[in-house]
Amino acid sequence: MFSWLSTARRLYSVFVGPPSLATPSSTSPPIKFGILGAAKVASTGLIIPALSHPEVEIHAVAARDPIRAEAFAKKYKLRTFYGGGDAYQKLLDDPEIQAVYVALPGGLHYEWTMKALAANKHVLVEKPSSVSSEQTREMFEFAQKKGLVILEGLQYRFYPAIIRAKEIIDSGELGAIKSIETIITGPQGSLKTDDIRYTWEIGGGIFQDMGTYPVNVLRYFTSSEPTSVLSASYTAHPNDPKVDQAMTTTLAFPGDVVGSIELNFEIPYKFGLIPSLPKMDVTVKAENGEMTVKFFVLPFVYHSINVSVKDGQSGKGAKKRTEKVYSPTSVKGRTLKGEEWWASYRYQLEAFVDKVKGREPDTWLTAEESIANLQTIEKVYEKAGLPPRPKSTFAFSPITDDSIEAKRTA
């Protein structure tokens, strides 16, 4: 049941701390995590969700700035921190750490994910998995070879509301899909001009980063891959014409389905004074009705699933309803683990731990999904006339089945 009280409780648990701390499991030792990068996302993405998970312990953080690393460790009461130019490698060399959360810029994901896997650590890597579908494939293949778990952090996919929306589509209630429209926008100033997402050398481009969400939801809701990119246009960043700060694209899917994406965090202020409200919506239009999921990227903050089904008897009007799915028990036909105050990041952590522990998670993102998502992003950039994002120059050469040598290429 949605209420302002439950919303406040949920948001408090996401950004401050859970209602109650977990008691460590006596039968399943906790997985000790290390965090690469003292980024803000590490708090909501891992540290706070871990407080309510009995099988997770955050052991250490690493940052190249020693002062920042120490401050981060003190703030979140971590036992260990590593700072300096070799901080990341020191964390990977820590024998107590079993899993690594990669919270670095996307252009560094390949290098440090491969190094983490080489150090026999499981990896939860923030989206995008890397800036190259080819290098993402290498990451997953290497993890499989090593018998390790790797997951791209597309957190929204683990939330009950998104699972319910997919359930509605698959039920056939709306009929065959005709089109899907996605929009993710925010007012000017949402991202600073020097935001790390706009740095070309490490995979800069808003579509490379935030485009991960709309591309994924189109593929997820259609249960298919795009057959072609019909159109793509962008607005260049003022500091670098190779970097996009807005993108609009249309994709063709099997069955004459058209998917569209509008991604723009530079929406002008109304009358020069009033900022536009953020939009994160996806609308499915089908032969027998339509469905809009509001705020699908961050459904734990707020969402609504608005369904309109044509009245088949009268042929006039439509039957409308709104669903809000904050509790896993609201997803029909499935018994999911979770609490109403869990954020999507908490569900994601639950799935990752289940996988590491050899249990079957409620929801999972496969290697094929992460690879295909980047392949679509690459095709959109090509259609827009932009060069592919620069691959990591870090290369790996196998030595034995159990170790690899890393070297920097020219």
Side-chain angles (χ1 to χ4, degrees), residues 128-149:
S129 54
S130 78
V131 295
S132 159
S133 61
E134 178 185 347
Q135 291 185 328
T136 287
R137 185 184 299 277
E138 291 179 26
M139 288 159 51
F140 280 93
E141 288 178 349
F142 188 51
Q144 184 178 26
K145 182 179 181 181
K146 299 280 287 184
L148 296 167
V149 173

Side-chain angles (χ1 to χ4, degrees), residues 107-119:
L108 300 178
H109 287 181
Y110 171 75
E111 175 179 349
W112 290 102
T113 294
M114 292 296 274
K115 285 184 174 181
L117 294 170

Side-chain angles (χ1 to χ4, degrees), residues 31 53 55 122-123 140 147-151 158 337 347-367:
I31 298 168
H53 201 304
E55 297 173 299
H122 303 285
V123 177
F140 280 93
L148 296 167
V149 173
I150 178 174
L151 174 66
F158 296 83
K337 291 183 288 184
Y347 282 100
Q348 177 178 268
L349 182 60
E350 187 77 17
F352 184 82
V353 171
D354 280 346
K355 200 75 169 180
V356 171
K357 292 286 186 178
R359 302 187 293 254
E360 185 66 27
D362 287 335
T363 305
W364 194 248
L365 287 169
T366 65

Side-chain angles (χ1 to χ4, degrees), residues 10-225:
R10 186 171 57 256
L11 295 182
Y12 183 89
S13 73
V14 172
F15 299 110
V16 181
S20 60
L21 300 181
T23 302
S25 172
S26 59
T27 58
S28 179
I31 298 168
K32 292 186 178 182
F33 275 80
I35 300 172
L36 290 180
K40 291 181 180 179
V41 69
S43 174
T44 54
L46 179 63
I47 292 174
I48 293 177
L51 294 175
S52 63
H53 201 304
E55 297 173 299
V56 174
E57 177 184 327
I58 310 301
H59 177 72
V61 65
R64 286 174 172 163
D65 181 345
I67 296 176
R68 188 177 182 187
E70 182 177 10
F72 190 95
K74 285 183 177 179
K75 180 178 181 179
Y76 296 108
K77 301 178 181 179
L78 306 186
R79 293 165 52 187
T80 307
F81 68 90
Y82 299 99
D86 58 353
Y88 299 160
Q89 189 58 53
K90 283 184 177 179
L91 183 143
L92 297 183
D93 292 338
D94 188 329
E96 291 197 58
I97 292 173
Q98 300 156 293
V100 171
Y101 177 59
V102 182
L104 301 169
L108 300 178
H109 287 181
Y110 171 75
E111 175 179 349
W112 290 102
T113 294
M114 292 296 274
K115 285 184 174 181
L117 294 170
N120 294 310
K121 317 294 186 186
H122 303 285
V123 177
L124 173 57
V125 56
E126 264 301 328
K127 61 82 191 160
S129 54
S130 78
V131 295
S132 159
S133 61
E134 178 185 347
Q135 291 185 328
T136 287
R137 185 184 299 277
E138 291 179 26
M139 288 159 51
F140 280 93
E141 288 178 349
F142 188 51
Q144 184 178 26
K145 182 179 181 181
K146 299 280 287 184
L148 296 167
V149 173
I150 178 174
L151 174 66
E152 179 184 11
L154 267 172
Q155 45 77 26
Y156 89 102
R157 279 281 301 275
F158 296 83
Y159 202 73
I162 304 304
I163 297 172
R164 173 57 185 152
K166 174 64 169 168
E167 185 179 61
I168 292 171
I169 293 171
D170 291 345
S171 72
E173 177 184 9
L174 300 176
I177 296 174
K178 297 300 183 182
S179 66
I180 303 183
E181 302 168 359
T182 64
I183 180 170
I184 300 179
T185 61
Q188 287 178 335
S190 298
L191 298 176
K192 295 181 180 179
T193 303
D194 61 351
D195 190 282
I196 197 73
R197 295 174 181 86
Y198 294 141
T199 303
W200 167 256
E201 291 76 13
I202 49 177
I206 194 64
F207 198 70
Q208 178 68 51
D209 183 79
M210 287 300 294
T212 309
Y213 288 115
V215 168
N216 183 265
V217 81
L218 288 176
R219 295 176 47 256
Y220 180 50
F221 279 1
T222 62
S223 299
S224 63
E225 301 299 334

